[in-house]
Amino acid sequence: VQPVKNVCVVGAGYVGGPTAAILALHNPAVTVEVLDRDPQRIKQWKSPHLPVHEPGLDHLVRVVRDGVESDESDIPRRQRNLYFTSDSARVIAKADIIFMAVNTPTKMFGVGAGCATNMAAFDGAMRDVAAHAKPGAIIVEKSTVPGGTADRVRKMLAAHRPGASFEVLSNPEFLAEGTAIKNLTTPDRVLIGSAATPAGRQAARTLANLYKAWIPADRILETNTWSSELAKLVANAMLAQRISSINSVSAICERTGADVDQVAKAIGMDARIGSQFLKAGLGFGGSCFRKDIASLAYLAESLGLDDVAMYWRQVNIMNERQRDRFARKVIERFEGNLVGHKLAILGFAFKKNTGDTRESLAVEVIRLLLDERPAEITIFDPYCRQEDIMRELGPGVAEMGTVKVHSDPYLACSQAHAILVVTDCDQFRNTATKKSSWSISDQSTHTSSSDCMDFQPTSQSGTNETIEWPRIAYNMVEPKWVFDGRGLLDVVELKKLGVRVDRVGRRTELHV
Ligand code: UDX
């Protein structure tokens, strides 16, 4: 195992920042420097207001960046060993290990548009690394990259720095938004892919040693680089596939007497299937699943495996159909006429507890509804900012004047003919009875980026109270439809309030 004194993390985003902080916390003898070409972002990381908001992150950064004493007994007072900078040449030159954590969104132009990965940021950062890294440095892919990237990086390094030897490892990140620190602290596994050579395996052991500071050795899995790169794509594809599978079943349930939640529970109790990621809804949003499936399908296609590509593409197709089916159902309930009606949308973010509007399922639902020329569509989301919602809805929508964003759910739903629950926020449930006091001051502060995970969810304080459905129902107007796209409402209780409820994965008679 090589000694490690200096670690550099390229990319101060959602993955790079928290990963660097955790590495620094558990390896106090190692200096961890986070590099980003955006000086503004570095300034934020150096300030009291971090650009990434994750439960536990602020405190963690204060401990390792500022040397603040931790109030948690398992974190002793430690020296400062986490730094943020834009000085790439200096930091790269002294690093023993360099993590690449820059954004790798879907390519939206040219060959492979909509499927392939846009490697512009990754390649740009790699050019800096190739120019300045010291011979013997270990380069680690943290970003989700197309299979075969490690081989490509090896060739690039050999071309730029003939004579110098580098090892390239794949060490993909599996954290989810909102649980980053938890996922980093107790990961299901750490995956390290290396070249199948003695030097490659030695580099893998050197990296594993950093993780062993807090992760049990049996959770650290070493593979070759192709396996590791592919495993990251496949993990997300399989999770997404479960969601599309249960959503396809929800369509059957809506036409029969079956209830999708009962089906999910029954199959999930089979230990071979397991109960997670079987919640039927509007489909999956977020910056990773759709993108990684597109990348996997593109890889299969480029290998001449068209059937394989088609198989995985179907997961994304099913996801889009589920969302469209939901919007069409709303239109059907109004017998094809939404003119003159007000529709209220509860939730815009792709999942609960985040203000991330990217790949929001609400966007296409709203577009389909707008085609029917309703009088008004109002949106309420406890975490999303108005400007992010409007930007995501695209050009022209704000000018139409039909769509309005409200920071008060009662105002959004007042005089609505229908309410659509789009995000699985606990605040929308009708099972709790706590009174709400909506605050508009606590809104998201995220800056948009197309990077998978490169997002800053908002703080959650003050917005975790459930809405009062009796008040909402009272102020609706006939036919008072509530469309539960996430299966989170208690239908029996809600119906007692005099509203009609249509819940995903359950049959509702067309005329009620
Ligand atoms: C995901 C992976 O979970 C994570 O491991 C990876 O590193 C990045 O991508 P994330 O996109 O943050 O994380 O969100 P996740 O919690 O996985 O949810 C993705 C989408 O699936 C959301 O829209 C969510 O609402 C939906 N979902 C999830 C369902 O519809 N049903 C489920 O049962 C689970």
Side-chain angles (χ1 to χ4, degrees):
V1 175
Q2 292 167 237
V4 176
K5 279 206 168 102
N6 294 290
V7 163
C8 165
V9 177
V10 185
Y14 190 93
V15 168
T19 304
I22 287 279
L23 279 169
L25 178 76
H26 294 286
N27 293 278
V30 174
T31 298
V32 181
E33 297 201 69
V34 187
L35 194 60
D36 201 293
R37 64 178 178 184
D38 178 358
Q40 201 50 39
R41 179 168 285 205
I42 290 299
K43 212 169 137 191
Q44 282 178 303
W45 275 107
K46 286 173 151 180
S47 80
H49 306 289
L50 305 183
V52 168
H53 299 285
E54 273 290 323
L57 180 64
D58 281 13
H59 179 68
L60 173 62
V61 167
R62 273 163 27 89
V63 171
V64 284
R65 183 194 66 182
D66 307 336
V68 166
E69 193 161 357
S70 171
D71 45 14
E72 283 162 48
S73 53
D74 57 335
I75 305 177
R77 189 190 172 90
R78 51 190 63 251
Q79 65 198 53
R80 296 173 192 188
N81 63 332
L82 177 68
Y83 301 90
F84 296 90
T85 178
S86 292
D87 184 359
S88 59
R90 178 188 63 81
V91 173
I92 290 171
K94 70 174 186 180
D96 304 300
I97 299 185
I98 301 164
F99 287 89
M100 303 296 293
V102 297
N103 56 335
T104 49
T106 299
K107 190 178 173 196
M108 296 313 286
F109 53 87
V111 176
C115 312
T117 305
N118 183 339
M119 295 293 281
F122 187 92
D123 288 347
M126 262 319 299
R127 276 193 287 277
D128 275 353
V129 171
H132 303 295
K134 67 180 179 191
I138 298 171
I139 290 134
V140 183
E141 302 166 352
K142 234 328 153 205
S143 317
T144 304
V145 289
T149 299
D151 287 343
R152 204 161 67 78
V153 168
R154 285 180 191 120
K155 283 185 195 133
M156 182 178 168
L157 287 165
H160 278 73
R161 298 282 296 276
S165 71
F166 299 99
E167 279 308 317
V168 181
L169 302 177
S170 159
N171 174 219
E173 189 46 67
F174 295 100
L175 58 83
E177 282 191 25
T179 53
I181 301 303
K182 184 172 159 276
N183 298 152
L184 284 163
T185 304
T186 52
D188 287 344
R189 78 309 208 179
V190 168
L191 181 55
I192 301 176
S194 68
T197 59
R201 278 192 284 270
Q202 192 199 22
R205 280 196 300 275
T206 301
L207 178 59
N209 220 35
L210 285 187
Y211 285 111
K212 278 182 191 160
W214 79 100
I215 294 165
D218 60 3
R219 293 230 171 150
I220 302 175
L221 181 64
E222 291 179 24
T223 66
N224 68 40
T225 37
W226 253 104
S227 300
S228 172
E229 289 167 343
L230 191 58
K232 168 65 196 185
L233 293 182
V234 174
N236 275 351
M238 295 283 270
L239 289 169
Q241 184 226 51
R242 283 172 73 90
I243 301 171
S244 276
S245 295
I246 199 69
N247 283 343
S248 76
V249 173
S250 79
I252 297 176
C253 292
E254 286 167 24
R255 303 254 167 120
T256 61
D259 177 327
V260 75
D261 286 343
Q262 291 178 357
V263 175
K265 186 163 184 187
I267 62 170
M269 284 172 77
D270 186 327
R272 293 169 301 176
I273 296 174
S275 60
Q276 293 190 54
F277 274 70
L278 284 181
K279 181 67 185 160
L282 259 111
F284 52 82
S287 55
C288 294
F289 286 173
R290 190 204 53 77
K291 170 184 105 112
D292 290 351
I293 285 173
S295 174
L296 183 61
Y298 187 72
L299 171 67
E301 208 173 56
S302 64
L303 296 170
L305 303 168
D306 290 354
D307 289 348
V308 178
M310 209 157 63
Y311 174 78
W312 286 109
R313 283 219 173 94
Q314 195 58 32
V315 174
N316 274 346
I317 292 170
M318 185 64 227
N319 198 50
E320 288 160 20
R321 299 272 158 85
Q322 182 76 352
R323 178 200 62 197
D324 297 353
R325 205 165 57 79
F326 178 72
R328 275 203 306 276
K329 211 161 51 170
V330 177
I331 299 163
E332 230 169 83
R333 294 288 182 210
F334 284 82
E335 287 166 356
N337 178 24
L338 286 181
V339 175
H341 293 94
K342 171 175 172 176
L343 310 168
I345 312 279
L346 289 183
F348 192 90
F350 80 100
K351 68 174 185 181
K352 67 177 178 182
N353 297 339
T354 174
D356 193 346
T357 54
R358 294 172 302 157
E359 296 283 336
S360 156
L361 296 156
V363 173
E364 200 51 37
V365 170
I366 291 170
R367 281 202 199 122
L368 290 168
L369 295 175
L370 277 174
D371 286 346
E372 300 298 322
R373 306 194 177 171
E376 195 180 355
I377 295 183
T378 52
I379 303 169
F380 167 75
D381 187 295
Y383 302 124
C384 296
R385 293 191 310 177
Q386 175 169 347
E387 55 263 47
D388 295 332
I389 291 175
M390 284 318 219
R391 192 197 48 243
E392 214 60 44
L393 284 172
V397 172
E399 291 71 35
M400 281 170 74
T402 314
V403 179
K404 294 189 186 79
V405 179
H406 288 283
S407 52
D408 179 333
Y410 303 105
L411 208 57
C413 296
S414 174
Q415 303 301 303
H417 297 85
I419 294 174
L420 285 62
V421 178
V422 168
T423 305
D424 56 337
C425 295
D426 291 325
Q427 294 93 322
F428 302 155
R429 290 183 188 277
N430 63 333
T431 37
T433 51
K434 227 184 339 161
K435 278 212 158 204
S436 62
S437 57
W438 294 96
S439 143
I440 49 169
S441 57
D442 182 43
Q443 293 286 308
S444 159
T445 52
H446 92 261
T447 52
S448 179
S449 159
S450 52
D451 180 17
C452 173
M453 307 301 295
D454 184 8
F455 163 75
Q456 304 81 41
T458 181
S459 138
Q460 292 164 30
S461 60
T463 53
N464 57 359
E465 294 173 51
T466 52
I467 59 173
E468 290 172 57
W469 277 97
R471 191 173 154 191
I472 297 268
Y474 181 79
N475 287 314
M476 287 180 77
V477 291
E478 290 294 340
K480 296 197 180 196
W481 267 112
V482 176
F483 296 94
D484 180 4
R486 291 297 195 155
L488 51 77
L489 296 170
D490 181 328
V491 178
V492 176
E493 284 303 311
L494 207 57
K495 278 185 172 169
K496 287 183 190 161
L497 303 175
V499 299
R500 297 158 212 256
V501 190
D502 184 309
R503 191 178 192 261
V504 66
R506 274 202 198 180
R507 184 169 61 177
T508 310
E509 296 313 321
L510 201 55
H511 302 286
V512 283

